[in-house]
Amino acid sequence: MYNYEASISRNIGWVTHAEQQTLRSKKVAIAGLGGVGGAHLLTLSRLGIANFSISDFDEFEVHNFNRQAGAFVSTLNEPKLDVMQRMALDVNPEAKIETFPEGVNETNIDAFLDGVDLYVDSLDFFALDARKLVFKKCKEKGIPAITAAPLGMGCSFLAFLPGHMSFEDYFKLEGYTSEEQLVRFLIGLSPAMLQVKYLVDKSAADFKAQKGPSTPMSVDMCAGIAGTNALKILLGRGEVIAAPHGLHFDAYRNKLSKTWRPGGNNHPLQQIAFKVAKKLLL
């Protein structure tokens, strides 16, 4: 029989009993339940968070098998939302999970973020319009928002916190074409670009076809880094590095890079990176 206190008992020591109850009461929103999104939902469920808003309109396909938590032969062609909700409830059957099967958009964004204490970005890399909408609303509502990007065999982490630099002020996307915005999003996510040196088949990163290579290690790493920062934000203890500061850890290269880009993508180094990346990718 399920028992919440027993299920999270091994968390105690790294968190107190009182902190665990605080985590239990918090609500986290996750948009996108594919690669990182599914891993985030399960990691945070095992951490003991019991309230979620989740969204996704996609179904599991064979090409998801290399990295997505809910992708199995048994779940092929099933909605990712239904599968991941089922898996989270299998971890905590008492969890309250609000679902948004149409994804996030202008008509439901307020409901999606209602009562939310933290937003964990998990949208597809190419879903910039939805991403800009969610981060804009988080800023307006004073909701902390974090993103952990799976790049190569590592994770690049950014946090957009109330009182600090916003998503748009950091990435500076407006005024550019859709393809240029994707390039600016990439260099903003990863100013250090640690993953580039071991991309052995550059044709696999195809911006025009909106597809890129991925690894399961990077997804799991993202879940760990995002989950740790979620804990710090929700409990109000421990340093959270906020934009324009960022972190990028690459396990393949055994490197940790702490980045700082005052002005975000307007920083001179970022402007150079944009010109170089634009030539390579577009």
Side-chain angles (χ1 to χ4, degrees):
M1 183 178 294
Y2 177 78
N3 177 278
Y4 179 83
E5 283 71 23
S7 73
I8 52 80
S9 61
R10 294 300 179 93
N11 294 346
I12 304 303
W14 300 116
V15 298
T16 67
H17 286 280
E19 286 176 329
Q20 189 65 66
Q21 291 305 313
T22 297
L23 290 173
R24 186 181 191 179
S25 70
K26 297 297 184 180
K27 184 177 182 181
V28 174
I30 303 172
L33 295 169
V36 291
H40 289 328
L41 178 60
L42 296 182
T43 296
L44 295 174
S45 294
R46 294 188 188 282
L47 183 61
I49 293 168
N51 303 280
F52 295 95
S53 283
I54 58 174
S55 72
D56 202 297
F57 55 78
D58 203 2
E59 297 178 347
F60 283 114
E61 300 176 67
V62 174
H63 64 80
N64 301 146
F65 280 24
N66 81 313
R67 70 199 182 283
Q68 299 194 12
F72 302 95
V73 171
S74 61
T75 61
L76 272 175
N77 303 317
E78 281 196 57
K80 293 180 180 180
L81 187 78
D82 295 348
V83 173
M84 295 314 306
Q85 180 188 31
R86 187 166 69 237
M87 292 178 74
L89 289 173
D90 217 11
V91 173
N92 179 0
E94 296 175 356
K96 296 177 181 178
I97 305 176
E98 297 179 59
T99 59
F100 294 80
E102 66 277 22
V104 287
N105 53 55
E106 289 279 3
T107 64
N108 67 12
I109 186 63
D110 290 314
F112 177 71
L113 293 175
D114 184 44
V116 165
D117 298 292
L118 172 68
Y119 170 64
V120 182
D121 180 39
S122 307
L123 290 164
D124 184 89
F125 175 85
F126 297 96
L128 270 188
D129 288 341
R131 179 172 279 110
K132 288 187 286 186
L133 171 65
V134 181
F135 276 94
K136 178 183 177 184
K137 283 292 185 177
C138 284
K139 179 186 177 183
E140 293 174 0
K141 297 173 181 291
I143 298 171
I146 62 176
T147 183
L151 298 172
M153 300 177 206
C155 171
S156 187
F157 176 82
L158 290 168
F160 297 93
L161 308 180
H164 293 266
M165 179 176 270
S166 70
F167 178 91
E168 177 51 40
D169 287 341
Y170 178 81
F171 284 103
K172 304 288 186 184
L173 300 177
E174 296 308 314
Y176 293 88
T177 67
S178 296
E179 289 182 337
E180 288 174 336
Q181 287 187 34
L182 289 171
V183 176
R184 292 181 71 80
F185 183 54
L186 175 62
I187 65 170
L189 278 177
S190 176
M193 295 298 281
L194 297 179
Q195 74 279 9
V196 171
K197 288 190 176 181
Y198 57 92
L199 179 61
V200 293
D201 183 354
K202 292 180 172 57
S203 68
D206 189 341
F207 264 43
K208 292 185 178 180
Q210 296 199 351
K211 68 175 185 178
S214 60
T215 66
M217 300 83 76
S218 64
V219 168
D220 290 342
M221 201 177 302
C222 286
I225 291 173
T228 301
N229 281 276
L231 178 149
K232 291 192 284 186
I233 291 169
L234 295 174
L235 295 182
R237 68 169 170 93
E239 179 188 8
V240 178
I241 294 177
H245 295 270
L247 290 174
H248 189 163
F249 175 68
D250 191 284
Y252 185 86
R253 296 187 62 194
N254 299 316
K255 283 193 174 184
L256 171 65
S257 177
K258 294 183 178 181
T259 57
W260 180 45
R261 293 295 186 269
N265 275 341
N266 276 356
H267 190 279
L269 288 176
Q270 294 300 95
Q271 293 181 23
I272 295 170
F274 175 61
K275 290 178 181 178
V276 173
K278 185 178 176 182
K279 287 181 180 179
L280 291 174
L281 297 171
L282 302 183

